[in-house]
Amino acid sequence: MENKETKVEEVSVNIDGAAASAQPETSPEPAPHPTVTGGDTVQTADCGTQVDSLIAEVKELNDKYLRIAAELENTRRRAALDTESAARRRAMNIASYFLPVMDAADAALSHTPDDEGIKSMARAIEAAFTQIGIVKIDSVGQALNPQFHNAIQVIDADAPANTIIEEMQAGYMFGDAVLRTAMVVVAK
């Protein structure tokens, strides 16, 4: 067999700055951060500060993550609201193009109230309006409300003041928004 020579490095352990001897020393309490020196040096006192530093960094990153997640959720909500608002504006714009058709049907009915073809057309338009959420504003007999009514004439009548006595052009609402105010005649 060959003789191999092995060299062992000397390792010493310092506890509270005192060198450890071959005989065990009794200490009243163990040292909180022993330091081991040798080939690889590990200092547990530095580990404690590193752990504290890493914990603080984890907390900071977690806080950043939560803020970014909240910001993303807010952005999603705003995008959904913007999309809904744009769709509503488009629908209101398109619906406003059909109001003259309903006005024409109403005018035709006022001239020839017994024509079944005109009645049928007016009912079909009203049904289509109802399906998409367009509702006629009630006017005659109501108190004047500038949000829903546009008074184009004020006359003496046997009705309470500011009461609508005649509707010249119907007003319409789309959901809770006014598409067009009603043109009305109001009692003085």
Side-chain angles (χ1 to χ4, degrees):
M1 288 184 113
E2 286 182 34
N3 287 336
K4 290 187 178 180
E5 197 174 306
T6 306
K7 184 176 182 182
V8 177
E9 290 184 19
E10 186 178 316
V11 176
S12 64
V13 176
N14 291 334
I15 300 175
D16 292 333
S21 63
Q23 298 163 354
E25 291 182 13
T26 58
S27 61
E29 55 186 59
H33 301 292
T35 304
V36 178
T37 59
D40 291 326
T41 303
V42 176
Q43 296 179 347
T44 56
D46 289 340
C47 287
T49 57
Q50 286 178 346
V51 167
D52 292 341
S53 168
L54 290 174
I55 288 173
E57 186 177 349
V58 166
K59 285 181 181 179
E60 180 183 333
L61 291 174
N62 190 38
D63 183 55
K64 283 182 182 179
Y65 166 76
L66 291 175
R67 288 178 189 272
I68 289 171
E71 186 176 331
L72 178 63
E73 185 61 31
N74 289 339
T75 302
R76 285 182 183 157
R77 273 194 216 118
R78 278 192 305 266
L81 288 174
D82 289 348
T83 302
E84 182 181 321
S85 177
R88 184 177 172 90
R89 280 192 310 271
R90 279 193 305 271
M92 287 178 66
N93 190 28
I94 291 170
S96 67
Y97 289 117
F98 289 99
L99 295 181
V101 176
M102 189 64 190
D103 292 338
D106 285 341
L109 272 176
S110 68
H111 289 297
T112 54
D114 296 333
D115 188 340
E116 289 301 317
I118 295 173
K119 284 182 184 179
S120 176
M121 182 179 65
R123 282 192 301 267
I125 294 170
E126 285 178 15
F129 276 13
T130 302
Q131 285 180 349
I132 59 175
I134 298 174
V135 180
K136 188 174 182 178
I137 296 172
D138 290 330
S139 297
V140 178
Q142 303 290 322
L144 179 67
N145 184 344
Q147 184 178 2
F148 304 116
H149 308 114
N150 182 13
I152 58 171
Q153 188 176 8
V154 179
I155 60 171
D156 288 327
D158 293 335
N162 290 329
T163 300
I164 298 169
I165 56 173
E166 185 180 350
E167 182 178 72
M168 303 300 279
Q169 184 182 41
Y172 292 94
M173 300 209 34
F174 183 74
D176 59 351
V178 176
L179 270 176
R180 181 178 74 189
T181 57
M183 288 191 214
V184 296
V185 177
V186 180
K188 197 183 245 186

